[in-house]
Amino acid sequence: MRFLTALPVYNEVDYVVAVVAGAQTYSPSVLVVDDGSTDGTADKLVGVQGIQVVRHPRNRGYGAALRSAFALAIDQGYDVLVTIDCDGQHQPQLIPKFIEAIEATGADIVSGSRYLRRFEGDNMPPPDRQQINAVITAELNALLGLNLTDAFCGFKAYRTSALARARLTETGYAMPLELWVQAAALQLKIVELAVPMIYLDEKRSFGGALDDAEQRLAIYREVIARAIRAAGLPRSPAVREPSAQEPAA
């Protein structure tokens, strides 16, 4: 199975080199999508050998960076795309676990979950993030017939054949919610894989209106409603299989 690991990056000068090096240790091919960084991240990437870099001339949003990664993985004929955030929350050594899970289960999406189990050394998430995650995850499950425990974890493995069927339009942090709606509409097979809860910077900003928890929740709900209308749901729910074998703590 030929796979690519992609890192969406925006102003991650403190973490990017270490996270990319970790990804290179566990993945034969690495892509960095630099979403218009202005803090020196681009300069750091110049000295990194053996990776592909796609640079957006201006900041377009987390969802736009992921969509660029999706398009490249499809165009270059990879079987699977692994996505990992570049803020230190995700452990690159778990990349092989995601590949094992997608091979073993036949899933279209293996999605990391920080709430399937506790790991020794887990951090506590910021209260507003935990609450909004719980609310949105429950609403997605009720609306779409899913059985998710973590709607927002960016550590995932996707079959590119499934990504090629999706029609994504969102560019911001809410794009993964649009993807869940389309996964339900397309009846994709979803498996969750337990990952540790790591927060290195609990005060990290979303930017703009999303920094207000109430507005963030309202925006997320608006995106879900729009995606459901666009997909013509209600339809048959996505297939949700039991969780894959959890990685060792």
Side-chain angles (χ1 to χ4, degrees):
M1 181 174 287
R2 185 168 174 259
F3 75 94
L4 171 71
T5 297
L7 294 79
V9 174
Y10 176 62
N11 287 350
E12 297 289 2
V13 69
D14 292 334
Y15 298 110
V16 65
V17 172
V19 177
V20 169
Q24 287 184 291
T25 301
Y26 297 97
S27 178
S29 302
V30 174
L31 165 70
V32 178
V33 181
D34 180 7
D35 189 34
S37 295
T38 58
D39 67 342
T41 293
D43 294 333
K44 290 277 189 180
L45 290 171
V46 169
V48 180
Q49 301 297 313
I51 64 171
Q52 296 187 72
V53 178
V54 170
R55 178 168 171 78
H56 294 170
R58 58 179 178 81
N59 180 244
R60 292 165 49 194
Y62 178 71
L66 286 175
R67 286 169 54 194
S68 289
F70 294 172
L72 185 144
I74 293 166
D75 289 345
Q76 295 189 359
Y78 287 96
D79 300 302
V80 172
L81 174 69
V82 176
T83 59
I84 178 171
D85 291 344
C86 197
D87 56 5
Q89 287 195 43
H90 302 151
Q91 298 175 322
Q93 61 266 35
L94 297 183
I95 291 171
K97 294 288 186 182
F98 280 79
I99 298 303
E100 290 170 10
I102 209 165
E103 289 182 321
T105 65
D108 296 298
I109 302 173
V110 174
S111 185
S113 173
R114 298 156 291 184
Y115 296 100
L116 271 177
R117 57 163 286 194
R118 294 283 296 173
F119 290 81
E120 184 177 353
D122 273 3
N123 302 127
M124 288 300 295
D128 65 318
R129 296 193 184 199
Q130 183 176 26
Q131 181 181 12
I132 288 174
N133 192 331
V135 168
I136 292 297
T137 298
E139 291 180 2
L140 285 171
N141 289 339
L143 288 166
L144 303 175
L146 301 176
N147 191 23
L148 301 171
T149 62
D150 188 348
F152 287 96
C153 184
F155 206 165
K156 287 181 169 64
Y158 306 87
R159 289 189 187 273
T160 54
S161 57
L163 290 176
R165 299 168 62 197
R167 297 295 179 264
L168 300 166
T169 62
E170 296 293 329
T171 59
Y173 282 107
M175 188 277 276
L177 306 179
E178 180 186 35
L179 187 131
W180 287 132
V181 173
Q182 294 202 16
L186 294 168
Q187 299 187 17
L188 301 183
K189 184 174 179 179
I190 302 163
V191 168
E192 284 190 321
L193 182 68
V195 298
M197 177 87 70
I198 301 171
Y199 280 94
L200 300 181
D201 183 2
E202 295 184 9
K203 296 182 179 180
R204 179 180 289 262
S205 171
F206 287 95
L210 292 180
D211 281 336
D212 180 87
E214 290 186 6
Q215 290 191 56
R216 188 159 77 247
L217 183 59
I219 290 168
Y220 289 163
R221 284 171 167 162
E222 180 183 343
V223 167
I224 292 168
R226 184 163 60 241
I228 286 174
R229 290 194 299 271
L233 291 173
R235 289 179 57 179
S236 300
V239 178
R240 167 55 157 82
E241 293 295 312
S243 299
Q245 182 66 39
E246 297 170 350

